Amino acid sequence: MKRTVGGSLMLGLALLTGCTMQTPTDLAVHEALFYGGNQQRVVWVYGTLTGGSDSSVKLGDKVATLRPQLTGDALGLAGTLSVDAKATYSGTTSPTDRRVSVTRVGNQYSIQALGNVESVFATDGGGTWYRLSGPVTAGQTVLATASTNTALRGAGDLTNAEADALGAELKGQGALAVAVLPGTTLPDAPLKVEPALEAGRHPVTGLYVQSGIVQVASAGPVTPIIPPVGSAPAQPAGSVGRQLAGGSNATASEFQVIVAQNASVLSTLWNTAYGRQTSAPALPSLSAGRSVVGVFLGQRPTGGYSLSLASARISGGVLELTVNVSAPGQGSITTQSLTSPWIATEITGSFSSVVVRDAVTGLVLN
């Protein structure tokens, strides 16, 4: 043990002083950074050992010993080297905010992007993987039809072998969704590698894992919507929506959009809106070609916050909701209790995604 530690310290000193160390040829490092339900950094080191001898490389602040790849480890891929007697180098990643919320609705998936994502995949937990969508912008909700996919192939910069290996590792964790995150939004930087790598030989793929996918039933028989008691302001001419209801005491702690096109999802929306009240208006019903979209601002520290619909339009399959967001002015007397503003809007027409904008600033809410 003393000999091993001493050798590592000497090698680390050699690195710091710029001395030459033995490294494999064709060196490359591939990283997969997991967030959400998994917080792990998985790092493959590719290369060829010279003369069959061991080699070394510095990953982050650690000098690692590279040897021929292990046998019998699913992560030990062709062309890779073992790192400190393990198939890959591993570490933990930083906590991050929720990036996506995926719900299965009948044979489709509702994807609510809470941050920009490049693509979304899902598995049923039994070994079958699906690709749900390409890029989804923060604030959008997309209704997607799943297409069968080979593990996580096509996710970020993963090679097919890496995608297959990670898909197999996630197989036993039940139904889950995996969103590919843009590299510029990752909480963690790539590992610093010494000797420095050539351009293109250090790809990094960020993956947000949503553990568990809630499934709701498909829509049953439909009847016309009956608005709850309490009329909302009339909407401008040409608007495809009208506000059905609103309030300030929802159960939502974060910003979210719920698109209800069947009774089951509408019940979820209603429970989110009225879950803190002892009673709620009767649940509306849906007619063909209509849906109800709930917009929830999330938790606010005091009273005085409110939300109302300014307009709704559909263009190119995108539903754009423009909303009025009110906040208490400086020095205002407000209730000193947590609030959660929301509105529910009836929409006529078909759409595949939703964008919510502030009527004053024009900025997308998320």
Side-chain angles (χ1 to χ4, degrees):
M1 179 63 71
K2 290 183 179 179
R3 182 180 305 168
T4 301
V5 173
S8 296
L9 290 175
M10 291 177 64
L11 182 54
L13 181 61
L15 283 167
L16 293 174
T17 57
C19 296
T20 302
M21 69 174 183
Q22 189 175 12
T23 57
T25 59
D26 301 323
L27 181 65
V29 173
H30 293 198
E31 296 190 53
L33 306 184
F34 285 91
Y35 299 95
N38 299 65
Q39 285 185 229
Q40 185 176 0
R41 184 192 295 263
V42 179
V43 183
W44 288 277
V45 178
Y46 290 79
T48 302
L49 297 174
T50 57
S53 61
D54 297 348
S55 294
S56 300
V57 66
K58 190 173 184 182
L59 301 172
D61 58 359
K62 181 178 181 180
V63 177
T65 300
L66 306 178
R67 296 189 175 97
Q69 187 53 272
L70 308 176
T71 58
D73 192 311
L75 291 178
L77 308 180
T80 65
L81 301 170
S82 68
V83 184
D84 290 339
K86 297 181 180 179
T88 61
Y89 175 88
S90 62
T92 57
T93 56
S94 304
T96 187
D97 294 334
R98 189 161 55 108
R99 297 295 185 91
V100 72
S101 178
V102 178
T103 303
R104 186 169 182 178
V105 184
N107 294 324
Q108 290 186 305
Y109 288 81
S110 173
I111 304 168
Q112 180 188 352
L114 306 174
N116 293 340
V117 297
E118 293 183 349
S119 55
V120 182
F121 299 80
T123 178
D124 59 6
T128 303
W129 280 89
Y130 305 95
R131 182 183 176 92
L132 303 186
S133 77
V136 186
T137 303
Q140 287 187 322
T141 297
V142 176
L143 296 175
T145 300
S147 59
T148 305
N149 200 70
T150 302
L152 287 169
R153 292 192 182 190
D157 291 321
L158 297 176
T159 67
N160 285 346
E162 292 165 358
D164 292 348
L166 294 180
E169 289 291 306
L170 294 171
K171 177 180 177 181
Q173 300 185 27
L176 51 80
V178 178
V180 180
L181 306 180
T184 55
T185 69
L186 299 181
D188 299 289
L191 286 175
K192 184 178 181 181
V193 179
E194 295 181 16
L197 297 172
E198 298 177 2
R201 300 189 68 80
H202 191 174
V204 178
T205 299
L207 303 169
Y208 181 89
V209 178
Q210 174 190 313
S211 299
I213 298 179
V214 176
Q215 180 165 355
V216 297
S218 300
V222 294
T223 55
I225 285 183
I226 303 175
V229 177
S231 300
Q235 305 308 319
S239 178
V240 298
R242 65 187 184 94
Q243 185 175 320
L244 291 177
S248 60
N249 200 26
T251 62
S253 59
E254 300 176 340
F255 179 88
Q256 63 176 300
V257 177
I258 299 178
V259 179
Q261 296 181 319
N262 62 60
S264 296
V265 181
L266 185 58
S267 178
T268 298
L269 189 161
W270 227 237
N271 289 336
T272 303
Y274 292 101
R276 297 187 187 280
Q277 299 182 204
T278 55
S279 61
L283 184 70
S285 298
L286 292 169
S287 60
R290 295 187 180 183
S291 54
V292 175
V293 178
V295 178
F296 299 85
L297 279 188
Q299 188 171 282
R300 295 296 185 265
T302 67
Y305 293 87
S306 65
L307 187 65
S308 64
L309 180 67
S311 66
R313 69 187 187 97
I314 297 175
S315 177
V318 178
L319 170 63
E320 182 169 307
L321 296 177
T322 302
V323 296
N324 301 306
V325 181
S326 298
Q330 186 174 4
S332 299
I333 299 176
T334 60
T335 57
Q336 298 304 300
S337 59
L338 299 177
T339 56
S340 181
W342 64 277
I343 57 170
T345 301
E346 179 193 12
I347 301 297
T348 302
S350 60
F351 55 93
S352 59
S353 61
V354 180
V355 174
V356 182
R357 295 185 184 277
D358 187 297
V360 175
T361 66
L363 297 177
V364 174
L365 301 180
N366 52 55

